[in-house]
Amino acid sequence: MNRRNMLRASGLVGALTLHRATGSPWVKGPSGAGKAKDLERAAAILAAAESFGRGGGYDKSWSSSGCPAPVEHEGETILQGSAKGTYCCGWTFAVAMKALTDAGALKKKSAADLRRFQKVWFGATGVEEEALKQCALAVQQLGVGEEVKADEAMAGDFAQLWRKKDRPSGHSVLFLGWVEVAGERIGFSYLSSQGSTDGIGHAVEYFADAKAGHGRVDPERLYFARLAL
């Protein structure tokens, strides 16, 4: 498959024109993904994301795994699939695991390694920094990726965002691109599972300090993870 067809199959071409579907002023993407390796990594991760489809219901109770399908490694179940619908970190974890498995990046990892990986990804270890950065620390600790700065983020990176103002909350997402207006970066587009899309779908959020938009995302608490495929 040539690169253009690979990108089309993965949904990356759709990320470039996402503004048409979302109504955002302009969604730039894939940010910085000019090299063949970057494009291929993004395409592989977005293909993994597309494999789980759209919608499927949102588990607002967060009482299930949040995963769209069972997550397995070498015959062992890491997480069961959810019958109640998905939620953010359950879906992003399933996408990351599929992309890493398809790339053969987990061959030397044990089930115990991956259960620890899952807990850090979900921010469920009781360690403050891991609860804050989640995916960004999880990939480093397992040795399957790295944390990257916001200015280096590309389509296909994972992100942990935190919102502020009247209703503080967090969200685990698959980054697609920045939203910019008149040269100002005011937000970004992503794929994740949320109530507004009744499960898996596209969304756009804006920064709390942006002049344009009515955002809540804290730019100082936005963490990116890049898989090494």
Side-chain angles (χ1 to χ4, degrees), residues 73-74 78 106-115 142:
H73 177 67
E74 296 182 347
I78 307 302
L106 300 177
K107 290 180 178 178
K108 295 183 180 180
K109 308 300 181 184
S110 68
D113 291 335
L114 295 174
R115 291 191 177 98
L142 189 64

Side-chain angles (χ1 to χ4, degrees), residues 7 11-17 26-35 38-43 46 152-157 175-178 189:
L7 298 180
L12 187 54
V13 167
L16 305 185
T17 56
W26 175 250
V27 177
K28 293 185 68 178
S31 303
K35 298 180 181 179
D38 294 331
L39 289 168
E40 289 168 3
R41 180 184 63 249
L46 287 161
E152 300 170 349
M154 301 177 185
D157 289 341
F175 178 77
L176 294 178
W178 297 111
S189 66

Side-chain angles (χ1 to χ4, degrees), residues 115-162:
R115 291 191 177 98
R116 165 70 182 172
F117 178 56
Q118 178 265 316
K119 288 185 180 297
V120 179
W121 192 283
F122 278 51
T125 63
V127 177
E128 184 176 356
E129 187 180 20
E130 292 172 346
L132 181 68
K133 293 189 173 184
Q134 299 187 12
C135 60
L137 284 185
V139 298
Q140 287 186 162
Q141 291 180 7
L142 189 64
V144 294
E146 61 181 342
E147 180 178 1
V148 294
K149 296 179 181 179
D151 286 340
E152 300 170 349
M154 301 177 185
D157 289 341
F158 293 89
Q160 175 63 37
L161 66 89
W162 295 98

